[in-house]
Amino acid sequence: MSLRLSRFVGHRGIAAEAPENTLTGFRLAAEAGFSWVEFDVMLSADDVPVLHHDEELGRTDNGSGPVAVHPLSALKALDAGSWFGPGFAGERIPTFEETIACCRALGLSMNVEIKPTTGREVRTAELVSDMLNDLCPDLTDRIIVSSFVPDCLRIAQEKAPDFLRGYLSDTMAEGWHAAAKDLGCLSVHPNHACLDAGLVTAIHDAGFRILTYTVNDPERAESLIGWGVDAVITDEPLAAAALA
């Protein structure tokens, strides 16, 4: 399957310019010229996929306690924007369904990271897979499903096989090649800090595309692209603009 991949991917929307994992962040990413965005999906207490990175509320909203113990109604009552700046007051935690609709309207392609809370890995992957099948059957060349959790990728492989998969790794420890191949991944998504020219070549020689995170320094982005990295995930529109 072909993949319509761009050189730069907006991290959690455009995290240097707007609250992460919010619809406003995606709109501003599109305005800044990004054609791809990355975001994190986990479950509310009542099994609704929502966008949130941390298992605990509080860093990016005015809530407290685990995301997993709050129903959608409680999560929707939180302010997910004021922490970033007063101009974003009242921003809400979006559902995955709302995000798909927003990205579709903006023409944004999506790197969907399944980011389950501890103990809810299987259910999260199942519901994300079901929603992709139901809402995005025409976007299989514009969505990558990624995760640090192999079980999540395996469920996506079984339940949503038409969608491309990406193997996330912070360290690219021994065994990454076999794991990514076994999970039928098209791409590998390493932390940029572990990459050098030799490893980039080895990943490509193994048949994988490379999306690396999170690169906010233009010189580092230039080096990675020079080594042949396929896409750089970044918070900073200026890092992308400098190399456009």
Side-chain angles (χ1 to χ4, degrees):
M1 183 189 301
S2 62
L3 174 67
R4 296 161 54 186
L5 188 63
S6 64
R7 183 61 57 84
F8 293 94
V9 177
H11 186 230
R12 304 177 199 165
I14 187 168
E17 301 289 337
E20 65 183 56
N21 286 325
T22 63
L23 300 185
T24 295
F26 301 133
R27 294 186 189 105
L28 292 179
E31 290 177 11
F34 285 92
S35 59
W36 274 81
V37 289
E38 181 268 356
F39 52 82
D40 309 284
V41 183
M42 60 179 56
L43 297 183
S44 66
D46 44 353
D47 276 358
V48 179
V50 298
L51 268 60
H52 207 269
H53 176 271
D54 302 354
E55 291 198 26
E56 296 282 329
L57 297 166
R59 181 178 65 86
T60 59
D61 47 62
N62 62 341
S64 62
V67 173
V69 304
H70 291 78
L72 179 64
S73 58
L75 296 176
K76 278 293 189 182
L78 299 176
D79 182 335
S82 291
W83 68 276
F84 192 89
F88 297 98
E91 192 72 31
R92 302 302 174 194
I93 295 173
T95 66
F96 184 32
E97 183 172 2
E98 289 168 340
T99 302
I100 290 170
C102 177
C103 289
R104 184 185 284 277
L106 294 167
L108 289 171
S109 299
M110 294 169 268
N111 178 178
V112 180
E113 181 181 345
I114 303 176
K115 190 87 173 180
T117 55
T118 303
R120 306 202 73 196
E121 294 83 0
V122 170
R123 187 62 173 154
T124 306
E126 288 176 343
L127 291 175
V128 168
S129 297
D130 289 344
M131 194 162 286
L132 288 172
N133 288 331
D134 291 343
L135 299 180
C136 306
D138 58 326
L139 299 179
T140 54
D141 62 339
R142 293 178 53 191
I143 292 175
I144 299 175
V145 180
S146 65
S147 187
F148 287 101
V149 183
D151 283 347
C152 289
L153 290 175
R154 190 169 304 284
I155 288 167
Q157 181 182 27
E158 294 170 356
K159 293 184 67 67
D162 293 338
F163 291 89
L164 303 167
R165 289 171 299 284
Y167 181 85
L168 265 164
S169 176
D170 193 48
T171 62
M172 295 294 285
E174 186 176 354
W176 68 264
H177 182 187
K181 182 178 180 181
D182 182 56
L183 292 164
C185 292
L186 173 93
S187 54
V188 172
H189 301 206
N191 186 327
H192 80 92
C194 74
L195 287 178
D196 56 28
L199 182 54
V200 169
T201 297
I203 295 169
H204 278 150
D205 287 349
F208 299 103
R209 308 283 288 276
I210 304 170
L211 289 79
T212 188
Y213 69 94
T214 304
V215 185
N216 294 327
D217 177 68
E219 291 186 5
R220 178 62 172 168
E222 185 174 19
S223 295
L224 291 160
I225 291 167
W227 295 337
V229 164
D230 297 282
V232 168
I233 300 171
T234 182
D235 298 322
E236 289 280 359
L238 293 179
L243 298 173

